[in-house]
Amino acid sequence: MFFQFPMEIFKKHAKIISENGFISVEKGSIMDISKRQAGVLRPVSSLPSQHGIGTFGKEAYQFVDFLSESGQSYWQMLPLNVTAYGDSPYQSPSSTGLNYYFIDLDRLREKGLLTKQEIDSSGLDDDGKRVNYGNLFDKRIPLLKKAYSRFDTKDSRFRLFVADKGFNDFAFYRTRKERFHYRPWYEWDEEYKTYSPELEEEIKKEHKDTYLFYVWTQYEVLSQYKALKKYANSKGIKIIGDRPIYLARDSVEVYKYPHLFRLDEKHNPTVVAGVPPDCFSADGQLWGNPIYDWDERKKDNYSWFHQRIDHNLTIFDVLRIDHFRGFADYYAIPYGEKTARNGKWVRGPGEKLFEGRKNLSIIAEDLGTLDEPVKNLRKTVGYPGRKVLQFAFDGDRNNPRRPSKTSENTVCYTGTHDNEPRKGYLDHLSPEQLNVFKQGVKEECALYHVDYKDDTLENLTRTLDSLCYAGPSFLAIVPIQDILALGDFSRINHPSTLSTDNWSYRTSKEDFSDEVKEFLLANAKKYNRI
């Protein structure tokens, strides 16, 4: 049995966020590529804190101050989605649910919902070097439930938030998963594996307090994020958000709206997402996400995807759309395969998906092997693409990632969250490869009047930072690890792997010295990005 997706959900969701003051943004704004600016890529999770993970608390405000004083204009975050197995924000169990781990506990204490003693004795303190997701799961959720037990659920704004049902799906699914000890829906008892409206109402009625708790987490995390974003905007800092293209199989959308995806009669995926083998991975990347049924979605003019984009643009100033090439051609791997070797490219929805939606503040993540359909799609929609300097210097003077081969309508990155930090990348190059890399960097630096230094790998890394600022791209974004010239230990993610090293790296307060601030400010001034 199939159920129609309520297309008003994202529209109503955006409406309540804006009308009730949770988020305040200028709608319909367009990035001005004639204005050169710069920013920093830093996950919220990597912020320092005393309670196990970065939050929307005081350290986030301090980072905004650092950006402002460094001449920056953007803070790019990774997806704020709630995470599940594997801790990846790109394997989210909900397209709308935000990560309640980002709720700042000190803010809850200030509201009288927690005491200092309760926070201090919670066991959430750590060495500050890695996020321990297992510990967060065991100890932060019970602490949040204690805070919720003291919250006035009769508060008029909260009651309106609940009544709007913008986070109904998220809260219903989390409630159901909790009752099944957090197992995915396809491992539930048979009578619960198939969704029905009657089942949903039964769950919400029998477990009302749990359901309202998960709605409250969204109310609170949005409230804290809204205050942070308002502060950032007042300091001249805009937020770049990130929207994963796919959802996890263990998600409320796959469970409740199976018609969105390519599933069989038992709701198992017929194909899953990934990318083919390349020079970085002999087996390719097997992501495992169910793939959308684009042919069926075309029948309603892709309404669900339009609403999803609109929803994200009510939260962020600019939206990065992950794996943009998947809209032109997507790589489909037969379900059950152990690697990505046996997949094939399939034509995606293309420009039809973006009809009437070209004037939006969107960055297209167009990395990977790009064929003509992908290039034509980005050219048609007009969204700026991305150029990653780490891949620009392979000895080919016509490499399209070189600044001299780049247009203004691009965003230049020194690296991404999926790559080795640049210092680590340079550490692993052979002497011959390093010489080729240095020669390419030196040639580009001469073109853009960048002081070239390579006496140490740290200085070569800083030279790349400056070249990113100097190039023609209207926006330069440098990951925090590259700014700090850190090695492999600071890598955010190793694609297609499960590891406690993924998504867990954290920075410290000591990393943000006056020297680092002055370096960024000097580059912003010298290369006209203020």
Side-chain angles (χ1 to χ4, degrees), residues 276-480:
D278 56 22
C279 60
F280 298 101
S281 173
D283 289 328
Q285 295 180 28
L286 178 61
W287 300 336
N289 310 74
I291 291 176
Y292 302 111
D293 190 338
W294 290 116
D295 291 339
E296 285 298 311
R297 302 285 58 78
K298 183 179 180 180
K299 294 177 181 178
D300 64 7
N301 293 318
Y302 309 104
S303 296
W304 185 80
F305 296 91
H306 293 171
Q307 299 291 350
R308 191 179 176 200
I309 289 173
D310 290 345
H311 156 68
N312 279 274
L313 286 173
T314 65
I315 296 177
F316 306 113
D317 296 302
V318 177
L319 178 64
R320 169 194 176 271
I321 296 184
D322 177 56
H323 195 55
F324 188 79
R325 74 144 301 143
F327 298 118
D329 300 292
Y330 59 89
Y331 194 66
I333 305 161
Y335 176 62
E337 291 285 330
K338 301 302 181 183
T339 73
R341 287 178 175 272
N342 295 323
K344 65 177 183 179
W345 288 106
V346 181
R347 185 71 67 216
E351 63 184 83
K352 290 287 185 182
L353 182 63
F354 297 97
E355 284 185 350
R357 312 186 65 76
K358 298 176 182 179
N359 294 326
L360 297 175
S361 292
I362 287 175
I363 297 171
E365 192 273 285
D366 57 346
L367 305 181
T369 303
L370 303 182
D371 56 12
E372 286 307 309
V374 184
K375 295 176 182 177
N376 291 338
L377 176 60
R378 197 180 71 77
K379 183 177 181 181
T380 299
V381 299
Y383 303 152
R386 305 174 77 204
K387 300 293 182 180
V388 179
L389 285 183
Q390 189 160 304
F391 305 135
F393 306 109
D394 55 2
D396 179 5
R397 285 189 169 87
N398 291 315
N399 186 315
R401 302 171 188 87
R402 284 195 175 209
S404 59
K405 303 298 180 182
T406 297
S407 70
E408 290 182 2
N409 191 28
T410 55
V411 182
C412 181
Y413 290 78
T414 55
T416 78
H417 65 271
D418 280 336
N419 307 134
E420 297 166 290
R422 194 169 55 259
K423 167 67 165 48
Y425 173 79
L426 296 173
D427 278 331
H428 295 153
L429 293 180
S430 68
E432 294 78 12
Q433 290 171 326
L434 184 58
N435 284 335
V436 169
F437 190 93
K438 287 180 176 180
Q439 182 60 35
V441 175
K442 192 172 184 178
E443 291 169 358
E444 293 291 317
C445 285
L447 292 174
Y448 292 97
H449 308 289
V450 175
D451 293 334
Y452 177 79
K453 295 180 180 179
D454 69 357
D455 52 316
T456 66
L457 293 185
E458 288 79 6
N459 279 340
L460 182 56
T461 294
R462 289 291 180 87
T463 299
L464 262 295
D465 292 344
S466 298
L467 181 58
C468 185
Y469 275 69
S473 298
F474 83 97
L475 181 57
I477 299 287
V478 182
I480 195 65

Side-chain angles (χ1 to χ4, degrees), residues 77-95:
M77 302 174 174
L78 292 185
L80 300 182
N81 303 66
V82 68
T83 60
Y85 179 71
D87 310 316
S88 170
Y90 295 94
Q91 291 281 354
S92 180
S94 170
S95 64

Side-chain angles (χ1 to χ4, degrees), residues 103-129:
I103 295 173
D104 186 65
L105 300 180
D106 290 326
R107 295 284 188 265
L108 298 182
R109 177 180 53 80
E110 292 167 2
K111 292 181 179 181
L113 300 179
L114 290 174
T115 67
K116 185 178 186 300
Q117 182 180 2
E118 288 169 337
I119 297 172
D120 292 344
S121 62
S122 65
L124 287 170
D125 54 312
D126 57 20
D127 62 9
K129 296 179 180 178

Side-chain angles (χ1 to χ4, degrees), residues 124-158:
L124 287 170
D125 54 312
D126 57 20
D127 62 9
K129 296 179 180 178
R130 292 281 175 188
V131 177
N132 184 333
Y133 287 97
N135 195 50
L136 289 177
F137 180 82
D138 291 336
K139 297 173 180 176
R140 185 175 277 260
I141 293 177
L143 199 60
L144 290 176
K145 286 189 174 183
K146 183 174 288 187
Y148 165 72
S149 71
R150 295 166 181 159
F151 176 74
D152 180 10
T153 57
K154 295 181 180 180
D155 177 271
S156 59
R157 294 181 69 200
F158 180 68

Side-chain angles (χ1 to χ4, degrees), residues 14-26:
K15 182 172 181 286
I16 192 170
I17 289 173
S18 58
E19 285 188 354
N20 290 282
F22 290 102
I23 302 293
S24 177
V25 298
E26 293 183 11

